[in-house]
Amino acid sequence: MIYSRNRRLRVNESMRGLVRECSLSVNDFVMPIFVMEGENKEEAIASMPGIFRRSIDLTVKECKELFSLGVKAVNLYMKVSDHLKDNTGKEAWNKDGLMQNTIKAIKDAIPEMIIMPDVALDPYSIYGHDGIIENGKIINDATNDALAKMAVSHAEAGADIVAPSDMMDGRVSTIREALEESGFHDVGILSYAAKYASSFYGPFRSALDSAPKDDMEIPKDKKTYQMDFHNSREALNEVFKDVEEGADIIMIKPGLPYLDIVAKVREVIDLPIAVYNVSGEYAMLKAAAQNGWLDNDKAIIESLTCFKRAGADMIFTYAAKEAAILLNR
């Protein structure tokens, strides 16, 4: 005779809901947004169905809609004109730059929207790398100084949390020190602590034209600073260092192929954990759904719930708006 029957707690939706271990909410989402120069301009990103590059005015309009749906945080990326790119990234801390003006416009229109601008040099680099290059190598400490200038300029524009995604050693402490010295004690740092050199970033790099350039004199990829996808213990080392340096939130990137990393980090730190449901993951789901191989709505909710089950507190996802609409139903 069977006395213990697990199926008793799966008998109907009410019972399943009663014993459910985690739940997904619109409060969990951060929407990545691509911004371009111009006015009343919108360009579809072919590899990411439903995602666009927009001018500042249309970006503000989109943010208002997101906020009305309950998505209260955005992560900003700029499509920088080629003539503004160089090897120093100095346009990244231009007080009247595209990023800075975007932050100001969103804050003016929606003061309660949490703005998390990306802190990295690759959109501003003629080489498409996250760092300054000297003698064919990415220079760590000079890059950190540039990132600190960039972060302070974001804070001056009204950013709530700066999000360094570069993976330079020591950049969290450099940025924290710069923010403190500039009086921005309440501006947080979301550190991409465990960011892997992944093949799942392709659509994103197309959206920003930020892939490393094919030049024999520079590294052809980002493997000298982003993590080796074969490693997991290394992720804990990276996380612990960023926590010590003053990070307020820890990011794991990519998402779905790295749920084991999310779970491992969750076991050892108490800080909030973010996970990035990256462009390649989004593109794969959309392609399968468009071909009728997956149920789009069910697959979105299931894949986002996986991040919460693994231990993430917040999810950066291009499906944030779509998922919010589904959950609000």
Side-chain angles (χ1 to χ4, degrees), residues 120-132:
L121 296 185
D122 50 333
Y124 302 88
S125 168
I126 54 174
Y127 299 115
H129 272 287
D130 294 57
I132 296 168

Side-chain angles (χ1 to χ4, degrees), residues 130-310:
D130 294 57
I132 296 168
I133 292 180
E134 294 180 9
N135 300 319
K137 294 182 179 181
I138 288 82
I139 304 302
N140 192 94
D141 295 5
T143 298
N144 285 347
D145 293 337
L147 296 172
K149 293 178 185 178
M150 187 178 183
V152 169
S153 78
H154 293 174
E156 290 172 342
D160 300 281
I161 296 173
V162 295
S165 62
D166 55 286
M167 288 298 287
M168 296 297 118
D169 293 332
R171 88 274 205 219
V172 172
S173 59
T174 302
I175 291 171
R176 185 72 266 164
E177 183 176 348
L179 289 171
E180 294 297 319
E181 290 178 351
S182 300
F184 295 110
H185 312 296
D186 295 329
V187 173
I189 298 176
L190 183 149
S191 168
Y192 287 59
K195 181 179 179 180
Y196 285 82
S198 172
S199 59
F200 288 90
Y201 303 147
F204 172 93
R205 290 176 180 168
S206 296
L208 291 184
D209 187 26
S210 62
K213 305 309 178 193
D214 188 10
D215 187 326
M216 293 296 291
E217 301 300 318
I218 64 171
K220 64 180 179 180
D221 53 41
K222 302 189 177 187
K223 293 180 179 179
T224 65
Y225 46 100
Q226 295 178 359
M227 285 181 55
D228 185 343
F229 65 80
H230 298 86
N231 299 348
S232 62
R233 294 191 303 272
E234 183 184 9
L236 299 181
N237 182 32
E238 292 281 359
V239 166
F240 288 142
K241 286 182 178 177
D242 283 6
V243 171
E244 291 172 2
E245 291 179 21
D248 299 284
I249 303 170
I250 293 298
M251 169 72 85
I252 312 297
K253 184 179 181 181
L256 289 175
Y258 295 84
L259 292 177
D260 60 318
I261 306 302
V262 178
K264 283 187 176 184
V265 173
R266 176 76 291 161
E267 290 177 356
V268 296
I269 72 164
D270 295 323
L271 288 182
I273 294 175
V275 64
Y276 208 129
N277 180 212
V278 300
S279 60
E281 299 166 37
Y282 175 86
M284 289 192 301
L285 188 154
K286 285 297 180 182
Q290 288 178 348
N291 280 283
W293 300 334
L294 287 177
D295 182 304
N296 179 79
D297 295 356
K298 291 180 179 178
I300 285 174
I301 297 301
E302 181 179 347
S303 61
L304 296 179
T305 301
C306 289
F307 298 127
K308 295 299 296 292
R309 190 185 67 234

Side-chain angles (χ1 to χ4, degrees), residues 78 80 84-86 89 91-92 99 120-126 150:
M78 302 297 112
V80 180
L84 295 174
K85 298 180 180 183
D86 63 12
E91 178 62 20
M99 174 69 87
L121 296 185
D122 50 333
Y124 302 88
S125 168
I126 54 174
M150 187 178 183

Side-chain angles (χ1 to χ4, degrees), residues 2-109:
I2 301 175
Y3 290 99
S4 178
R5 295 180 183 268
N6 292 337
R7 290 181 55 192
R8 293 181 190 129
L9 301 183
R10 303 174 193 149
V11 65
N12 55 40
E13 179 56 28
S14 295
M15 182 63 75
R16 291 191 295 272
L18 190 64
V19 299
R20 193 157 285 153
E21 296 176 23
C22 70
S23 61
L24 188 68
S25 162
V26 293
N27 292 319
D28 300 324
F29 301 147
V30 179
M31 180 71 178
I33 289 181
F34 300 115
V35 184
M36 61 186 294
E37 296 282 3
E39 187 174 348
N40 195 33
K41 292 180 68 175
E42 181 177 86
E43 295 177 354
I45 299 171
S47 56
M48 301 172 69
I51 304 300
F52 300 85
R53 287 182 292 263
R54 296 184 175 94
S55 53
I56 292 178
D57 54 331
L58 296 186
T59 295
V60 170
K61 182 180 178 181
E62 178 71 4
C63 286
K64 288 180 177 178
E65 186 172 354
L66 287 165
F67 198 83
S68 72
L69 291 169
V71 179
K72 300 174 183 176
V74 291
N75 176 219
L76 301 180
Y77 298 91
M78 302 297 112
K79 175 68 169 67
V80 180
S81 299
D82 287 344
H83 75 277
L84 295 174
K85 298 180 180 183
D86 63 12
N87 186 36
T88 69
K90 64 180 181 296
E91 178 62 20
W93 55 89
N94 178 359
K95 293 181 183 294
D96 195 35
L98 183 59
M99 174 69 87
Q100 290 75 8
N101 287 334
T102 301
I103 295 169
K104 294 172 187 175
I106 297 172
K107 270 298 177 187
D108 286 345

